[in-house]
Amino acid sequence: MSLPKLLHLASDTFKGGAESVFRNTIEATLESKQFDIYVASCDELPPCDIDNAHFLHLDDWQLYPKWRGAYKYIFNPTNYKRLKAFLFTIKPDIIHTQNYLSRLSPSVLFALQAYRAKHLKVKLIYTQHGFGPCANGGLYNYAKGQICEKCIGHSKGLRIAYENCDRRGRIHSILKALRVPFYQGAFLQEKELFDTIICVGEFQRSKHIQDGWDSSKLITLTNPIETHFYNPHISLQDKQDLLVFFGRLSPEKNVPLLLHAFANLLKLPRFSHYKLLIIGDGDDKPKCLELANRLLQHLDIKLESRLDSSSKTPNTQSKPSPLPYIFLPARSPKELAEILAKAKLSILPSLWYETFGLTIVESILAGAIPIASELGAMQETIASFYGKSFSFDPHQALQDSNIQSLEVCIINTLDSYESEFATLLQKREEIMQNLHSHHYLKKLINLYLYGGGGIITIELSLLKLYALACYLNSPVQFAPALPPQELKQILALAKLSISPSLLNETFGLTIVESMLSGTPALVANRQELSTTAQRFGGFVFDDLEQELCKILDEYEAHFTHFLQERERASSYILSRPYYKELYAIYTR
């Protein structure tokens, strides 16, 4: 039997975080050998085992003159025609879309819609890397330099044009407004097109639900993490008096706040020798350089604007630089991991929500304690994994209270660094298995095969499900709701169906369904549940563990008794007394 066809669709294969997830997803599903993989992207053929027949090169609006690129940005007819022809040729069973807005335009959604109209069983999945409720994608207004939630629960296009939210100014805000009807408005709604929408964090998911998105379509799946950030041999002796920021230097990342807090830190004698390493590129870099130079005037040190692009890590062998601020261009993940292994703290002072806080987890794996502002997904990531957060008012980023809050958080963490570092080592070992790409792949394959939307056009027998469970190599498996026919197949091989419900159920239909499928039910001793179980050959527990061991230890005898009860109960059900009694009520 041929493998199901899986198409990965996105604007970019290289560059930053969302693109890294797209690339890692392609590579992971290729390695699984459970799908026939196809890729459609603006970039050239990605560096993996995909031949030209399995790759579609899509049009990029950025390659055109401004006037022509503008209308392709709103709706690119070339991509609509090209993708539609590709879909009807290869006939994919599953289409996983990511980050299509940056270079493809919403026209690709219309190609998916046309294909779905003729192939109803195709499964359409979308990974949301931003905030769908916001036409600007980040719930952030660059013109005001503030978090903005005005689009939530309201129309998107007019608001972004009026509020001028885009970082590039009014013209781009208007272009985004004109694009809205093609994916969030009158012509098409992405939240209705896709069967399943993957969010990378619970905070991000909550904002979509707040905007009226169907919660049953929204699932949370943490992004795969670059495993080469993990340093299993890191120790306290490796640490230097070094703090690090890494990421895009843009207004929402709020690097000036970090520069101010660090300038205050240098005034304290015990921290006066510390260094702050700023790694990254972006529109805010000149501003940050100028601010760093101004803040150093009280030390009579001038910061040169020329960047040391040759140095990949701080030079610990030669005479240290007198400059406490060091700016480096963006580095590869491997180079970042080497720097973070030497840094004590990794600081993310972002003044917008973020969707996950990827740099927090990468810092943990590399061995640097993360500090982040107490906002949105950053707070969620720290609570779920590890790190320190500082209170922050996003409406006035550089107010003294914000600077002081970050400064105090840094000082407290450094003053107790030995114990905090021991906690970091413990926490990262606990989370390493959950962050490994195979964990991401397991959940993704489960979603491709069983989650949301229509079932793909292959027979999914219980033997195949069992084989997948063996592949996933876990004693506990979570699956989304399945159709009755598939549940029947699963129950046919199960020894017990367990319902530990705390509710006083009105009947206990799952007990009867389990019985008819050939599986005894084990239920909590609660009123109607216990009555239904005793009536249809099930078992009741007060102590679940004790009763479970008792049944499994003598399963053959218990199952023989169950079959006898099942025969009696089946005869009762098949005699259809419900309909007879209902008819009597109707005609009474």
Side-chain angles (χ1 to χ4, degrees), residues 244-265:
V244 171
F245 166 88
F246 65 100
R248 184 174 67 255
L249 292 179
S250 53
E252 74 277 6
K253 296 299 182 180
N254 202 22
V255 174
L257 178 74
L258 174 56
L259 295 175
H260 278 283
F262 186 71
N264 290 345
L265 189 75

Side-chain angles (χ1 to χ4, degrees), residues 97-314:
T97 304
Q98 303 188 47
N99 203 27
Y100 66 89
L101 282 173
S102 63
R103 292 160 68 191
L104 291 177
S105 91
S107 64
V108 297
L109 301 187
F110 288 80
L112 299 184
Q113 185 183 59
Y115 181 70
R116 158 64 66 81
K118 299 294 183 181
H119 297 80
L120 298 178
K121 292 186 177 181
V122 64
K123 190 182 299 292
L124 300 181
I125 297 168
Y126 176 47
T127 295
Q128 174 65 269
H129 288 287
F131 289 95
C134 172
N136 206 31
L139 294 175
Y140 185 79
N141 185 321
Y142 283 86
K144 296 180 179 179
Q146 294 180 357
I147 289 171
C148 175
E149 298 188 9
K150 292 182 179 180
C151 280
I152 295 180
H154 301 91
S155 61
K156 322 298 181 188
L158 293 177
R159 289 182 182 273
I160 189 173
Y162 177 76
E163 297 288 342
N164 188 24
C165 298
D166 190 272
R167 63 183 174 82
R168 294 160 294 187
R170 179 71 67 182
I171 292 176
H172 282 86
S173 295
I174 293 173
L175 288 175
K176 282 188 173 179
L178 293 173
R179 189 175 63 174
V180 164
F182 294 97
Y183 73 104
Q184 286 186 326
F187 301 131
L188 189 145
Q189 291 271 357
E190 66 178 10
K191 62 184 178 183
E192 296 174 1
L193 174 66
F194 292 100
D195 302 310
T196 303
I197 298 168
I198 300 172
C199 296
V200 300
E202 281 299 323
F203 177 81
Q204 179 198 27
R205 182 175 182 269
S206 70
K207 290 299 177 184
H208 286 76
I209 294 173
Q210 188 179 339
D211 190 51
W213 294 49
D214 184 352
S215 61
S216 67
K217 287 187 174 185
L218 297 167
I219 70 165
T220 301
L221 180 57
T222 302
N223 285 335
I225 308 299
E226 297 277 5
T227 54
H228 44 245
F229 273 94
Y230 179 62
N231 184 341
H233 307 298
I234 193 70
S235 69
L236 196 59
Q237 288 69 37
D238 298 318
K239 294 300 176 181
Q240 301 174 11
D241 293 330
L242 176 69
L243 314 184
V244 171
F245 166 88
F246 65 100
R248 184 174 67 255
L249 292 179
S250 53
E252 74 277 6
K253 296 299 182 180
N254 202 22
V255 174
L257 178 74
L258 174 56
L259 295 175
H260 278 283
F262 186 71
N264 290 345
L265 189 75
L266 292 175
K267 297 174 185 177
L268 302 177
R270 68 184 189 276
F271 300 119
S272 60
H273 61 288
Y274 269 70
K275 307 286 185 183
L276 174 61
L277 185 58
I278 309 290
I279 306 172
D281 300 298
D283 297 339
D284 247 21
K285 196 161 203 171
K287 176 183 175 181
C288 292
L289 281 164
E290 189 277 330
L291 176 61
N293 186 45
R294 181 156 45 88
L295 291 171
L296 288 174
Q297 288 179 359
H298 71 286
L299 298 176
D300 295 324
I301 296 174
K302 297 292 183 181
L303 180 66
E304 297 181 13
S305 60
R306 179 176 58 83
L307 299 179
D308 181 9
S309 59
S310 61
S311 175
K312 294 184 178 179
T313 60

Side-chain angles (χ1 to χ4, degrees), residues 188-462:
L188 189 145
Q189 291 271 357
E190 66 178 10
K191 62 184 178 183
E192 296 174 1
L193 174 66
F194 292 100
D195 302 310
T196 303
I197 298 168
I198 300 172
C199 296
V200 300
E202 281 299 323
F203 177 81
Q204 179 198 27
R205 182 175 182 269
S206 70
K207 290 299 177 184
H208 286 76
I209 294 173
Q210 188 179 339
D211 190 51
W213 294 49
D214 184 352
S215 61
S216 67
K217 287 187 174 185
L218 297 167
I219 70 165
T220 301
L221 180 57
T222 302
N223 285 335
I225 308 299
E226 297 277 5
T227 54
H228 44 245
F229 273 94
Y230 179 62
N231 184 341
H233 307 298
I234 193 70
S235 69
L236 196 59
Q237 288 69 37
D238 298 318
K239 294 300 176 181
Q240 301 174 11
D241 293 330
L242 176 69
L243 314 184
V244 171
F245 166 88
F246 65 100
R248 184 174 67 255
L249 292 179
S250 53
E252 74 277 6
K253 296 299 182 180
N254 202 22
V255 174
L257 178 74
L258 174 56
L259 295 175
H260 278 283
F262 186 71
N264 290 345
L265 189 75
L266 292 175
K267 297 174 185 177
L268 302 177
R270 68 184 189 276
F271 300 119
S272 60
H273 61 288
Y274 269 70
K275 307 286 185 183
L276 174 61
L277 185 58
I278 309 290
I279 306 172
D281 300 298
D283 297 339
D284 247 21
K285 196 161 203 171
K287 176 183 175 181
C288 292
L289 281 164
E290 189 277 330
L291 176 61
N293 186 45
R294 181 156 45 88
L295 291 171
L296 288 174
Q297 288 179 359
H298 71 286
L299 298 176
D300 295 324
I301 296 174
K302 297 292 183 181
L303 180 66
E304 297 181 13
S305 60
R306 179 176 58 83
L307 299 179
D308 181 9
S309 59
S310 61
S311 175
K312 294 184 178 179
T313 60
N315 188 345
T316 59
Q317 303 301 322
S318 60
K319 184 179 179 180
S321 167
L323 301 176
Y325 298 95
I326 304 171
F327 285 80
L328 292 177
R331 298 302 191 200
S332 69
K334 183 179 179 181
E335 292 168 336
L336 283 173
E338 293 173 358
I339 294 173
L340 289 168
K342 300 175 183 178
K344 285 188 174 179
L345 303 178
S346 169
I347 304 173
L348 178 64
S350 185
L351 55 79
W352 72 343
Y353 285 140
E354 304 284 352
T355 54
F356 174 61
L358 185 61
T359 60
I360 294 172
V361 185
E362 291 170 341
S363 299
I364 294 171
L365 294 182
I369 296 175
I371 291 178
S373 47
E374 198 174 54
L375 289 174
M378 293 177 291
Q379 177 65 12
E380 176 191 346
T381 304
I382 283 176
S384 300
F385 299 102
Y386 172 71
K388 301 293 178 180
S389 60
F390 63 95
S391 58
F392 180 75
D393 179 2
H395 298 293
Q396 296 182 13
L398 291 181
Q399 63 182 338
D400 290 342
S401 60
N402 286 340
I403 296 171
Q404 184 179 9
S405 179
L406 174 55
E407 179 190 352
V408 169
C409 185
I410 292 173
I411 291 172
N412 290 341
T413 307
L414 292 176
D415 283 344
S416 57
Y417 192 79
E418 188 171 343
S419 62
E420 291 292 352
F421 185 72
T423 304
L424 168 73
L425 295 181
Q426 176 187 346
K427 292 290 185 181
R428 73 184 195 137
E429 293 307 316
E430 292 175 2
I431 66 176
M432 184 58 189
Q433 291 302 317
N434 289 334
L435 292 177
H436 196 273
S437 61
H438 288 305
H439 180 76
Y440 172 77
L441 177 63
K442 293 171 189 177
K443 290 189 174 182
L444 202 57
I445 289 177
N446 223 17
L447 176 62
Y448 288 159
L449 296 180
Y450 309 112
I455 303 300
I456 60 175
T457 54
I458 58 174
E459 282 191 26
L460 296 175
S461 67
L462 188 61

Side-chain angles (χ1 to χ4, degrees), residues 525-569:
N525 188 5
R526 300 190 67 82
Q527 296 182 356
E528 290 301 325
L529 275 180
S530 58
T531 301
T532 304
Q534 293 166 1
R535 184 179 179 186
F536 293 99
F539 303 95
V540 178
F541 71 85
D542 291 305
D543 184 317
L544 177 56
E545 182 180 357
Q546 183 179 355
E547 191 66 25
L548 193 59
C549 292
K550 176 183 174 182
I551 295 171
L552 294 178
D553 283 344
E554 300 178 7
Y555 188 78
E556 186 174 346
H558 286 295
F559 188 69
T560 300
H561 174 73
F562 163 75
L563 290 178
Q564 295 171 352
E565 293 296 309
R566 177 175 182 258
E567 188 68 26
R568 177 190 56 77

